[in-house]
Short mmCIF file of all heavy atoms in Angstrom, two decimals:
data_model
loop_
_atom_site.label_atom_id
_atom_site.label_comp_id
_atom_site.label_asym_id
_atom_site.label_seq_id
_atom_site.Cartn_x
_atom_site.Cartn_y
_atom_site.Cartn_z
N ALA A 296 -3.31 59.91 -25.15
CA ALA A 296 -3.01 60.94 -26.15
C ALA A 296 -2.10 60.40 -27.26
O ALA A 296 -1.70 61.18 -28.14
CB ALA A 296 -2.34 62.14 -25.48
N PHE A 297 -1.78 59.12 -27.25
CA PHE A 297 -0.92 58.56 -28.30
C PHE A 297 -1.61 58.75 -29.65
O PHE A 297 -2.78 58.35 -29.82
CB PHE A 297 -0.64 57.09 -28.03
CG PHE A 297 0.22 56.44 -29.09
CD1 PHE A 297 1.56 56.75 -29.18
CD2 PHE A 297 -0.32 55.53 -30.00
CE1 PHE A 297 2.36 56.17 -30.15
CE2 PHE A 297 0.47 54.94 -30.97
CZ PHE A 297 1.82 55.26 -31.05
N PRO A 298 -0.92 59.32 -30.63
CA PRO A 298 -1.59 59.68 -31.89
C PRO A 298 -1.74 58.54 -32.89
O PRO A 298 -2.49 58.66 -33.86
CB PRO A 298 -0.68 60.76 -32.47
CG PRO A 298 0.69 60.41 -31.96
CD PRO A 298 0.46 59.86 -30.57
N GLY A 299 -1.03 57.43 -32.68
CA GLY A 299 -1.07 56.34 -33.65
C GLY A 299 -2.17 55.34 -33.38
O GLY A 299 -2.92 55.44 -32.41
N GLU A 300 -2.27 54.35 -34.28
CA GLU A 300 -3.24 53.27 -34.13
C GLU A 300 -2.49 51.96 -33.91
O GLU A 300 -1.51 51.67 -34.61
CB GLU A 300 -4.13 53.17 -35.37
CG GLU A 300 -5.02 54.38 -35.59
CD GLU A 300 -5.94 54.20 -36.79
OE1 GLU A 300 -5.95 53.08 -37.36
OE2 GLU A 300 -6.65 55.16 -37.13
N LEU A 301 -2.95 51.17 -32.97
CA LEU A 301 -2.35 49.88 -32.68
C LEU A 301 -3.39 48.78 -32.84
O LEU A 301 -4.60 49.04 -32.71
CB LEU A 301 -1.79 49.85 -31.26
CG LEU A 301 -0.70 50.87 -30.91
CD1 LEU A 301 -0.20 50.62 -29.49
CD2 LEU A 301 0.45 50.83 -31.90
N PRO A 302 -2.97 47.55 -33.12
CA PRO A 302 -3.93 46.45 -33.28
C PRO A 302 -4.76 46.26 -32.01
O PRO A 302 -4.23 46.31 -30.89
CB PRO A 302 -3.04 45.23 -33.54
CG PRO A 302 -1.75 45.80 -34.05
CD PRO A 302 -1.59 47.11 -33.34
N LEU A 303 -6.04 46.03 -32.19
CA LEU A 303 -6.93 45.82 -31.06
C LEU A 303 -6.71 44.43 -30.49
O LEU A 303 -6.99 43.42 -31.15
CB LEU A 303 -8.38 46.00 -31.51
CG LEU A 303 -9.46 45.79 -30.44
CD1 LEU A 303 -9.30 46.78 -29.31
CD2 LEU A 303 -10.85 45.91 -31.06
N LEU A 304 -6.15 44.36 -29.28
CA LEU A 304 -5.93 43.10 -28.57
C LEU A 304 -5.10 42.11 -29.40
O LEU A 304 -5.24 40.90 -29.25
CB LEU A 304 -7.27 42.47 -28.17
CG LEU A 304 -8.00 43.15 -27.01
CD1 LEU A 304 -9.45 42.66 -26.94
CD2 LEU A 304 -7.29 42.87 -25.69
N GLY A 305 -4.21 42.63 -30.24
CA GLY A 305 -3.42 41.76 -31.11
C GLY A 305 -2.65 40.67 -30.39
O GLY A 305 -2.76 39.48 -30.74
N PRO A 306 -1.83 41.01 -29.38
CA PRO A 306 -1.09 39.96 -28.68
C PRO A 306 -1.96 38.95 -27.94
O PRO A 306 -1.52 37.86 -27.61
CB PRO A 306 -0.22 40.76 -27.69
CG PRO A 306 -0.07 42.10 -28.31
CD PRO A 306 -1.40 42.35 -28.96
N VAL A 307 -3.22 39.32 -27.70
CA VAL A 307 -4.13 38.45 -26.96
C VAL A 307 -4.92 37.54 -27.90
O VAL A 307 -5.11 36.35 -27.63
CB VAL A 307 -5.11 39.29 -26.11
CG1 VAL A 307 -6.01 38.39 -25.28
CG2 VAL A 307 -4.34 40.26 -25.21
N LEU A 308 -5.35 38.11 -29.03
CA LEU A 308 -6.21 37.35 -29.94
C LEU A 308 -5.42 36.59 -31.00
O LEU A 308 -5.78 35.47 -31.35
CB LEU A 308 -7.20 38.29 -30.63
CG LEU A 308 -8.14 39.09 -29.72
CD1 LEU A 308 -9.08 39.93 -30.58
CD2 LEU A 308 -8.94 38.17 -28.81
N HIS A 309 -4.34 37.19 -31.51
CA HIS A 309 -3.67 36.64 -32.67
C HIS A 309 -2.42 35.82 -32.35
O HIS A 309 -2.22 34.74 -32.90
CB HIS A 309 -3.31 37.76 -33.64
CG HIS A 309 -4.49 38.56 -34.07
ND1 HIS A 309 -5.64 38.00 -34.57
CD2 HIS A 309 -4.70 39.91 -34.07
CE1 HIS A 309 -6.51 38.95 -34.85
NE2 HIS A 309 -5.97 40.11 -34.55
N GLU A 310 -1.55 36.36 -31.49
CA GLU A 310 -0.28 35.66 -31.23
C GLU A 310 -0.47 34.25 -30.67
O GLU A 310 0.28 33.34 -31.03
CB GLU A 310 0.61 36.50 -30.31
CG GLU A 310 1.15 37.73 -31.01
CD GLU A 310 2.04 38.57 -30.12
OE1 GLU A 310 2.30 38.17 -28.95
OE2 GLU A 310 2.48 39.65 -30.58
N PRO A 311 -1.46 34.00 -29.80
CA PRO A 311 -1.63 32.63 -29.30
C PRO A 311 -1.90 31.60 -30.41
O PRO A 311 -1.58 30.43 -30.24
CB PRO A 311 -2.82 32.75 -28.35
CG PRO A 311 -2.74 34.15 -27.84
CD PRO A 311 -2.31 34.94 -29.04
N VAL A 312 -2.46 32.03 -31.53
CA VAL A 312 -2.69 31.09 -32.63
C VAL A 312 -1.37 30.53 -33.12
O VAL A 312 -1.21 29.32 -33.32
CB VAL A 312 -3.45 31.79 -33.78
CG1 VAL A 312 -3.58 30.84 -34.98
CG2 VAL A 312 -4.83 32.25 -33.32
N ARG A 313 -0.39 31.41 -33.30
CA ARG A 313 0.94 30.98 -33.73
C ARG A 313 1.61 30.12 -32.65
O ARG A 313 2.25 29.11 -32.95
CB ARG A 313 1.80 32.21 -34.03
CG ARG A 313 3.25 31.94 -34.31
CD ARG A 313 3.46 31.09 -35.53
NE ARG A 313 4.88 30.92 -35.82
CZ ARG A 313 5.38 29.99 -36.60
NH1 ARG A 313 4.56 29.12 -37.20
NH2 ARG A 313 6.67 29.90 -36.82
N LEU A 314 1.45 30.49 -31.40
CA LEU A 314 2.06 29.72 -30.31
C LEU A 314 1.48 28.31 -30.26
O LEU A 314 2.20 27.33 -30.05
CB LEU A 314 1.86 30.43 -28.98
CG LEU A 314 2.42 31.86 -28.88
CD1 LEU A 314 2.17 32.43 -27.50
CD2 LEU A 314 3.90 31.90 -29.22
N LEU A 315 0.18 28.21 -30.44
CA LEU A 315 -0.46 26.90 -30.44
C LEU A 315 0.04 26.05 -31.60
O LEU A 315 0.23 24.83 -31.47
CB LEU A 315 -1.97 27.06 -30.51
CG LEU A 315 -2.64 27.51 -29.20
CD1 LEU A 315 -4.03 28.06 -29.46
CD2 LEU A 315 -2.70 26.36 -28.21
N GLU A 316 0.30 26.66 -32.75
CA GLU A 316 0.86 25.92 -33.89
C GLU A 316 2.25 25.38 -33.54
O GLU A 316 2.57 24.23 -33.85
CB GLU A 316 0.95 26.83 -35.11
CG GLU A 316 -0.40 27.21 -35.70
CD GLU A 316 -0.25 28.24 -36.81
OE1 GLU A 316 0.88 28.73 -37.04
OE2 GLU A 316 -1.26 28.56 -37.47
N LEU A 317 3.05 26.19 -32.89
CA LEU A 317 4.40 25.76 -32.51
C LEU A 317 4.37 24.61 -31.51
O LEU A 317 5.26 23.76 -31.50
CB LEU A 317 5.17 26.94 -31.92
CG LEU A 317 5.53 28.08 -32.87
CD1 LEU A 317 6.06 29.28 -32.10
CD2 LEU A 317 6.56 27.63 -33.90
N LEU A 318 3.35 24.60 -30.66
CA LEU A 318 3.27 23.59 -29.60
C LEU A 318 2.60 22.29 -30.06
O LEU A 318 2.64 21.30 -29.34
CB LEU A 318 2.50 24.16 -28.41
CG LEU A 318 3.22 25.29 -27.65
CD1 LEU A 318 2.27 25.96 -26.68
CD2 LEU A 318 4.45 24.75 -26.92
N SER A 319 2.01 22.30 -31.24
CA SER A 319 1.35 21.10 -31.74
C SER A 319 2.37 19.97 -31.88
O SER A 319 3.41 20.13 -32.51
CB SER A 319 0.70 21.38 -33.10
OG SER A 319 0.05 20.22 -33.58
N GLY A 320 2.09 18.84 -31.26
CA GLY A 320 2.99 17.70 -31.28
C GLY A 320 4.10 17.77 -30.24
O GLY A 320 4.88 16.83 -30.10
N LYS A 321 4.18 18.89 -29.52
CA LYS A 321 5.24 19.08 -28.52
C LYS A 321 4.74 18.87 -27.10
O LYS A 321 5.54 18.68 -26.18
CB LYS A 321 5.83 20.48 -28.63
CG LYS A 321 6.36 20.84 -30.01
CD LYS A 321 7.55 19.99 -30.41
CE LYS A 321 8.10 20.48 -31.76
NZ LYS A 321 9.24 19.64 -32.20
#
Side-chain angles (χ1 to χ4, degrees):
F297 179 72
E300 294 184 5
L301 300 184
L303 179 61
L304 287 166
V307 183
L308 301 182
H309 303 309
E310 290 180 3
V312 175
R313 172 63 176 162
L314 302 181
L315 285 162
E316 291 174 354
L317 293 170
L318 292 168
S319 180
K321 305 295 185 182

